[in-house]
Amino acid sequence: MSELVIHDLHVSIEGKPILNGVNLIVPQGEVHAIMGPNGTGKSTLAYTLIGHPSYQVTGGEVTFNGQNLLDKKADERSRLGVFLAFQYPVSIPGVTVANFLRTALNSRRKSANPEDKGISIPEFRKLLIEKMDYLRMDHAFAGRYLNEGFSGGEKKRAEILQMAVLRPQIAILDETDSGLDIDALRIVSEGVNALRGPDMGVLLITHYQRILNYVKPDYVHVMIDGKIVESGGPDLALHLEEHGYEWVREKYEATAA
Ligand code: ADP
Ligand code: MG
């Protein structure tokens, strides 16, 4: 049973408190969306879960499968089965997508079983082709240097392929407001829908409701001022689309007062 548990998480950036006690549980295989106005700390939560050094955890706990995530480095978190999109946004000239994915997979396997000798090249080729076919990707993609000259959509594809190969237990996607075009949105959504299931949960962080038209969440949470203040089913996202966030803020401020 894999479960992400965020308990009373407080995070500051350069001494300024941004997250003020986030509580959230994502049980195995569920898709949870976090929505909220700009500047309320959604990306801060994503970066904190990633282990970005600029984000100082000043209180609270985050565990995954009962293990403390916060004292682990980004690569250790990944080996535990936490997939962090945008973890490798830099291009790596000279390293092909296939090589990168095989190295990542082997590292994951080795941490699960220190005796693991790694996947053989023919076996890996077979796996990669199977995943690329599943995601309807051109096989030539595997031979390109990672992210080098990739379009926005191709970077997304590379991430989704990475997700398909590594089969994380939870994928955290911060669809930052820096505009995904409709193509990239479709790639991400189709990929997530193809891979979500009892074995893979998703934490989908988004300002816009539109991605939730494609990826149907089990639960929707609203973050205001660094706290999750409202939770509901998929209908909540539609309600927010229609009515905005102001009513949530008012309700929250009324209860806080
Ligand atoms: P969201 O993703 O919900 O739009 P963010 O987590 O990006 O919100 O930002 C939350 C708050 O933290 C904002 O007030 C923002 O200005 C501030 N912030 C984010 N990143 C930094 C940073 N690197 N340095 C200083 N302040 C930051
Ligand atoms: Mg953001």
Side-chain angles (χ1 to χ4, degrees):
M1 181 72 191
S2 74
E3 190 172 52
L4 177 71
V5 180
I6 302 171
H7 176 68
D8 197 26
L9 183 66
H10 291 253
V11 173
S12 294
I13 308 171
E14 291 166 4
K16 179 181 155 205
I18 308 290
L19 298 186
N20 302 304
V22 173
N23 289 298
L24 179 69
I25 297 179
V26 184
Q28 174 162 350
E30 292 186 357
V31 177
H32 288 239
I34 297 184
M35 302 183 70
N38 279 323
T40 51
K42 300 182 300 298
S43 295
T44 300
L45 177 63
Y47 283 120
T48 304
L49 295 174
I50 284 167
H52 191 291
S54 303
Y55 297 79
Q56 297 112 29
V57 176
T58 56
E61 295 100 45
V62 179
T63 61
F64 186 64
N65 297 340
Q67 295 206 55
N68 180 6
L69 264 198
L70 295 176
D71 64 2
K72 300 203 167 39
K73 285 185 278 182
D75 62 320
E76 292 175 273
R77 297 179 195 210
S78 150
R79 277 183 262 129
L80 285 176
V82 181
F83 177 85
L84 311 150
F86 314 129
Q87 196 180 352
Y88 305 106
V90 291
S91 59
I92 314 185
V95 176
T96 61
V97 168
N99 274 332
F100 171 77
L101 291 176
R102 194 162 73 91
T103 306
L105 178 63
N106 281 338
S107 141
R108 174 92 196 272
R109 282 170 53 140
K110 206 167 170 57
S111 86
N113 171 17
E115 305 291 301
D116 193 286
K117 295 283 182 287
I119 188 167
S120 73
I121 290 177
E123 204 187 332
F124 180 72
R125 269 192 68 85
K126 200 169 144 249
L127 172 80
L128 193 57
I129 284 173
E130 180 194 307
K131 299 300 183 193
M132 286 193 296
D133 287 346
Y134 186 53
L135 299 170
R136 286 178 280 127
M137 293 170 68
D138 186 337
H139 293 180
F141 195 74
R144 291 182 58 188
Y145 292 149
L146 185 67
N147 287 333
E148 191 162 67
F150 281 18
S151 68
E154 286 170 334
K155 283 186 182 163
K156 293 284 162 237
R157 264 181 217 285
E159 270 170 10
I160 297 296
L161 184 60
Q162 193 186 340
M163 217 156 84
V165 167
L166 293 181
R167 299 174 44 84
Q169 291 166 27
I170 187 160
I172 300 161
L173 307 165
D174 183 10
E175 298 310 326
T176 47
D177 315 298
S178 56
L180 282 185
D181 62 21
I182 195 73
D183 225 33
L185 190 66
R186 196 178 44 78
I187 293 163
V188 171
S189 310
E190 284 178 1
V192 168
N193 284 330
L195 300 171
R196 70 188 280 188
D199 294 332
M200 190 185 92
V202 180
L203 185 57
L204 187 61
I205 298 174
T206 178
H207 173 67
Y208 296 108
Q209 194 270 337
R210 59 182 188 158
I211 193 169
L212 304 180
N213 291 330
Y214 303 90
V215 178
K216 203 129 196 77
D218 297 303
Y219 294 94
V220 174
H221 310 277
V222 183
M223 185 181 277
I224 305 262
D225 297 345
K227 264 185 152 162
I228 288 172
V229 299
E230 184 81 20
S231 296
D235 292 354
L236 179 56
L238 298 173
H239 191 80
L240 290 164
E241 178 76 350
E242 203 175 326
H243 301 280
Y245 291 109
E246 211 41 49
W247 66 272
V248 189
R249 187 184 290 281
E250 280 163 17
K251 185 174 156 187
Y252 159 62
E253 282 168 0
T255 30

